[in-house]
Amino acid sequence: MIRFILLVIFLFSFLILSIPVFFVEWVIGKFNREMRDYSSLRIVQWGFKVILKITGVSVTVIGEENVPDEPVLFIGNHRSYFDILLTYSRCRRLTGYIAKKEMERYPLLSTWMRNLYCLFLDRHDMRESLRVIRTAIDYIRQGISICIFPEGTRNRGEELTMLPFKEGSFRIAEKTGCAIVPMSMNNTAAIFENHIPRIQKVHVVLEYGKPIYPNQLEPEQRKNLGTYCQNIIQETINRNAELV
C-alpha cells in the first residue's frame, strides 16, 4: 500500500503544480509551438518516469532500434494502465495516444493530454470514432506519431491472451502509408490490476517489433491487417513469457 499512497501523492502534487506550468507553456507556444510541444512531452515523460520509479518496476526493453525516426502508428496489447506510462516515457517524437472518452472528465490530466495531441474516443459513437480516426490521420501527416491499443479496451483475461484487434484502427496507417510499429508487453497487469489497490515491484518486458509498411504487404495480409499485426504481437508475448 505504501507505493500506492506515494503514487497518489505524487500524481496529485504533479497535477496541482501543473497549473502555473500550463500558463508558461501557453506563453512559449505563442512564440514557438514546437518548443512548447517538446517541453510538454519531456515534462510528462519525467512525471511518468518518477511514477515508474515509485512502483519499483524493472523493464527489459527489446528492439527499440526498430522504431524509425518518422511519424508512425504504434499498436500494442493492453492489460494495464501502466502500459501507457511504460511506452509513452520512451517516445522520442511527439506522440498522441488515443484514449477512451471517459479520460476527458479528469481536469488537469485531460489538459496535459490535449496539449500532447491525445484524442478521446467514444467507443459507442461510430460517427465520433470516424472523426477521431480522421484527426489521427491529419496528425500523422503533420509529423506526429499516434499510439492506439487496437483491442479497444484493457484485456482482463488470462496472461498471454488478447482480445480481437479492431480493424478500423489500422486505417490510420492505410491512409497515410506510415509504418506500423508493434509493441508487445508482458506482465504489466502484475504491477497493479491483478491485486488492486496494491502496487507490486515486478519485472516487465517491452518489445518493439520491426516496422510494418502496409503498402509492402501481400494483398491478403493487407486485407486482414489487424489480424496480421495481432499475430506478430501474440507470437512475441508468447516468446517473451520466459523472460519475466
Side-chain angles (χ1 to χ4, degrees), residues 5 13 39 66 113 131 136 166 240:
I5 293 169
S13 300
S39 173
N66 289 326
M113 293 176 73
R131 186 194 66 79
K166 298 183 181 301
N240 289 342

Side-chain angles (χ1 to χ4, degrees), residues 33-218:
R33 180 63 178 268
E34 184 178 16
M35 181 182 292
R36 190 220 71 172
D37 287 346
Y38 275 96
S39 173
S40 294
L41 173 65
R42 301 312 177 205
I43 289 170
V44 171
Q45 287 182 321
W46 172 82
F48 282 177
K49 289 174 182 177
V50 171
I51 290 174
L52 292 172
K53 191 76 172 178
I54 291 171
T55 67
V57 64
S58 62
V59 188
T60 294
V61 181
I62 303 169
E64 199 164 17
E65 68 280 1
N66 289 326
V67 181
D69 186 18
E70 61 190 56
V72 303
L73 175 65
F74 290 104
I75 61 166
N77 59 312
H78 188 29
R79 294 183 54 80
S80 171
Y81 291 118
F82 283 90
D83 297 339
I84 293 95
L85 281 71
L86 288 162
T87 57
Y88 196 75
S89 61
R90 308 196 71 85
C91 291
R92 297 192 295 265
R93 299 176 59 95
L94 294 175
T95 304
Y97 276 50
I98 296 183
K100 60 183 181 180
K101 185 75 172 177
E102 290 80 359
M103 295 299 296
E104 207 169 14
R105 296 182 297 193
Y106 299 107
L108 301 179
L109 176 60
S110 60
T111 304
W112 274 118
M113 293 176 73
R114 290 191 191 93
N115 283 357
L116 293 167
Y117 298 97
C118 291
L119 298 168
F120 300 96
L121 179 67
D122 186 344
R123 293 166 291 184
H124 307 293
D125 187 332
M126 182 62 68
R127 182 177 297 180
E128 178 67 11
S129 297
L130 291 174
R131 186 194 66 79
V132 168
I133 295 299
R134 286 196 296 268
T135 303
I137 290 169
D138 288 340
Y139 282 173
I140 291 282
R141 289 171 175 162
Q142 294 171 36
I144 301 163
S145 293
I146 293 293
C147 179
I148 189 167
F149 297 106
E151 291 169 281
T153 188
R154 276 190 305 115
N155 175 17
R156 295 170 173 81
E158 294 295 321
E159 184 74 19
L160 305 183
T161 66
M162 282 192 288
L163 302 174
F165 278 13
K166 298 183 181 301
E167 292 286 342
S169 309
F170 296 88
R171 291 184 60 193
I172 299 167
E174 292 173 326
K175 293 292 186 180
T176 62
C178 75
I180 300 169
V181 176
M183 302 183 300
S184 308
M185 288 169 278
N186 288 70
N187 207 39
T188 58
I191 302 173
F192 181 59
E193 281 76 10
N194 288 351
H195 35 69
I196 294 173
R198 291 183 298 112
I199 292 175
Q200 292 281 69
K201 183 178 180 180
V202 301
H203 174 236
V204 303
V205 179
L206 165 62
E207 179 165 345
Y208 294 89
K210 293 182 179 179
I212 302 163
Y213 291 90
N215 59 5
Q216 296 178 6
L217 298 177
E218 297 295 329

